[in-house]
Amino acid sequence: MELSPREHGPISIRLVRSRDARGLQQELLSNREWLRPWEATSPDGPTSFDMRLGVRRLLQQYRDGAGVPLVMEYEGEIAGQLNVWGIARGSLSSATIGYWVSRRFAGRDITPTSVALATDLSFGELGLHRMEICIRPENRASLRVVEKLGFRYEGLRRRFIHIDGDWRDHYAFALVREEVPEGVLRRWVNGAAPQDAAAIPPSDRLPA
């Protein structure tokens, strides 16, 4: 299925292309210190950093229906990447969103806008029912994304994903399609996203 690009103002998302590999690799290399605390790693040791191979694998997952790899752009320039991954069909009908944004584009609402666009695409064109985002307790910038968009807090996942060399705890947030009949982006732009949906109860709070 060919997905149409989505945009809001200067911010847009579109399916990654093979020719994006060079630009994405340049952004990743120039943002190593910025991104390292949040990047997934392998417990088996270092893996190859070859964006051309990475893009090929992502596009194969897309052809297999397992994921949708997207590029985030600001005024037509690559600003980061967003993946809808782990797509499950049938009775589950769900997926997870992961993303990174270049430091030079931080503070322009690129990530929340892109997450809203991708969630609306997933509920609409992809026909999914549930979207999840898992975030490290220390990642205040990402926690602000789910707070802005009104993703609902669902719980603490202990030692959930291997990141920056160790298994890290994550907070889980989600939305189901019935919660946002008007769309995630429109609800946020209209100021209708619930302000406390992403609130973390004291029993689950970890030192940031």
Side-chain angles (χ1 to χ4, degrees):
M1 178 175 67
E2 192 65 34
L3 294 178
S4 57
R6 299 285 185 103
E7 62 181 33
H8 178 70
I11 300 163
S12 62
I13 59 171
R14 60 167 174 80
L15 193 66
V16 70
R17 306 170 186 139
S18 297
R19 63 178 179 269
D20 293 323
R22 187 172 187 175
L24 288 169
Q25 183 148 328
Q26 288 175 342
E27 289 298 327
L28 285 170
L29 287 172
S30 63
N31 282 270
R32 296 313 302 143
E33 296 306 313
W34 167 255
L35 296 173
R36 184 175 288 116
W38 323 118
E39 283 183 338
T41 48
S42 171
D44 300 321
T47 56
S48 171
F49 186 74
D50 183 345
M51 203 63 204
R52 288 175 298 177
L53 177 59
V55 168
R56 284 200 296 270
R57 287 175 174 168
L58 288 170
L59 288 173
Q60 185 59 55
Q61 290 176 12
Y62 174 65
R63 289 188 288 270
D64 293 341
V68 179
L70 301 164
V71 167
M72 300 188 291
E73 293 184 323
Y74 186 83
E75 295 182 342
E77 188 175 0
I78 290 177
Q81 193 179 1
L82 184 152
N83 292 324
V84 178
W85 60 276
I87 293 177
R89 295 291 182 176
S91 57
L92 201 54
S93 188
S94 68
T96 298
I97 283 180
Y99 49 79
W100 61 265
V101 67
S102 176
R103 187 172 193 167
R104 64 195 179 99
F105 289 102
R108 305 189 197 185
D109 273 341
I110 293 171
T111 303
T113 302
S114 297
V115 168
L117 289 168
T119 304
D120 288 343
L121 180 151
S122 298
F123 287 162
E125 287 187 62
L126 299 184
L128 296 177
H129 177 252
R130 180 179 180 276
M131 294 300 299
E132 179 176 279
I133 299 178
C134 294
I135 301 170
R136 286 188 62 179
E138 301 88 350
N139 194 341
R140 276 304 313 164
S142 276
L143 291 174
R144 282 293 298 138
V145 170
V146 292
E147 289 166 2
K148 287 179 180 181
L149 299 181
F151 271 71
R152 177 174 27 79
Y153 179 70
E154 288 200 330
L156 171 63
R157 297 186 178 179
R158 296 282 187 185
R159 298 180 63 78
F160 180 53
I161 302 175
H162 199 274
I163 289 179
D164 195 23
D166 201 359
W167 297 100
R168 310 291 183 177
D169 295 338
H170 281 68
Y171 293 140
F173 304 86
L175 279 177
V176 295
R177 191 165 51 198
E178 293 87 348
E179 291 176 276
V180 283
E182 73 276 41
V184 181
L185 181 65
R186 181 175 295 179
R187 185 177 75 163
W188 176 43
V189 170
N190 289 342
Q195 298 299 298
D196 59 350
I200 298 159
S203 58
D204 283 356
R205 288 180 191 156
L206 299 175

